[in-house]
Amino acid sequence: MRSSLLLFILCATLVPGADKKKLVTNEAGNENIDIVAKAIIDPAEVDAAIGGEMPKGVIAVQLKVVPKADYKLSLNRDDFILLSHKDGQRSGPYAPSQIAGSAVMVIKSRTGPGEGGGLARQRTGPGWGGIPGTGGRPRQMDDPSNGGTGIGNVNTTETKTTAEVKDNEGAPPNPLLKLLEAKMMPDKETNDPVTGLLYFPLDGKVKVKDLELIYQGPAGRLYVDFR
């Protein structure tokens, strides 16, 4: 009886707690590349992956991209889009300067009647980021050229987003910037596997099972579903 109790206690210490959020890893591939991705949505786990405190509303995706055979991959972060099936939000990755740079982008939203067909636009992302020339390209989340249009005849309202840039040059350098740059997946041409993080702004509460990573680059089109 005593030995059974000791075995139960030992097992309990080895099994993770039920409240710990699970990191879901999934993969996709074709004749040119394989992609292995892990979505990190819990703020504490995002902070741990970066090594610093991130603004709220950022999802980190850990990537490993593996070219096959002699295929020379031209890898670009803008080839990736993160989609939320819950509400149709679509986001391209933010550059580190758009998260922790000296220039701040303030996003203002206005919701009103939609245009013909009732196509719904997605909700906007967090209101921080950089400006052109600081290492990244700001994204207006409802701009169709950036993949910003929602999917389906959901309702007849849309959210229009405008970005106002505020200069904050007098502020001290943000130490988070170097951490983000060090962990970010690089843009490069390569025959070798590449690993790194991408940072996606998504608004509201997000569940891993609702997310899908889309790659649409020179190596083809791939979908990584985290369900």
Side-chain angles (χ1 to χ4, degrees):
M1 179 70 177
R2 183 177 180 182
S3 61
S4 299
L5 179 60
L6 289 175
L7 180 60
F8 173 79
I9 294 173
L10 177 62
C11 291
T13 61
L14 295 177
V15 176
D19 59 341
K20 185 174 179 61
K21 291 180 172 58
K22 183 179 179 181
L23 299 183
V24 179
T25 302
N26 216 332
E27 59 186 279
N30 57 22
E31 66 276 9
N32 295 321
I33 62 171
D34 285 328
I35 296 176
V36 181
K38 178 168 66 177
I40 309 173
I41 66 172
D42 180 72
E45 291 169 349
V46 173
D47 291 350
I50 302 302
E53 186 176 352
M54 288 281 282
K56 304 305 179 186
V58 179
I59 292 172
V61 175
Q62 183 176 321
L63 283 170
K64 181 177 182 180
V65 183
V66 184
K68 292 184 178 178
D70 295 326
Y71 183 77
K72 189 170 185 178
L73 173 64
S74 179
L75 186 61
N76 191 298
R77 294 184 293 272
D78 286 340
D79 293 334
F80 293 89
I81 294 173
L82 190 64
L83 169 66
S84 170
H85 289 289
K86 178 182 178 181
D87 53 15
Q89 288 190 79
R90 298 165 65 94
S91 171
Y94 264 19
S97 61
Q98 292 176 277
I99 299 173
S102 60
V104 179
M105 181 175 65
V106 179
I107 295 179
K108 297 181 178 180
S109 302
R110 179 176 63 84
T111 301
E115 298 176 357
L119 284 177
R121 308 256 180 172
Q122 94 260 1
R123 299 183 305 183
T124 60
W128 29 255
I131 60 174
T134 62
R137 183 174 73 246
R139 297 180 181 275
Q140 289 187 347
M141 299 297 288
D142 66 337
D143 184 353
S145 66
N146 285 328
T149 301
I151 300 175
N153 291 322
V154 182
N155 56 44
T156 58
T157 63
E158 65 180 28
T159 300
K160 293 185 178 180
T161 305
T162 58
E164 176 185 341
V165 176
K166 292 188 176 181
D167 197 355
N168 197 22
E169 290 183 356
N174 190 338
L176 180 62
L177 182 61
K178 287 187 177 181
L179 294 173
L180 294 170
E181 291 173 341
K183 298 293 182 71
M184 179 180 58
M185 188 189 75
D187 287 344
K188 62 188 299 184
E189 289 191 359
T190 182
N191 297 104
D192 301 319
V194 179
T195 60
L197 294 172
L198 293 180
Y199 318 116
F200 295 92
L202 285 182
D203 190 26
K205 292 184 178 180
V206 178
K207 295 182 178 179
V208 172
K209 67 182 182 66
D210 296 324
L211 298 178
E212 183 174 34
L213 183 70
I214 303 172
Y215 167 81
Q216 43 189 10
R221 190 178 182 95
L222 292 171
Y223 302 87
V224 182
D225 195 333
F226 294 106
R227 280 179 287 185

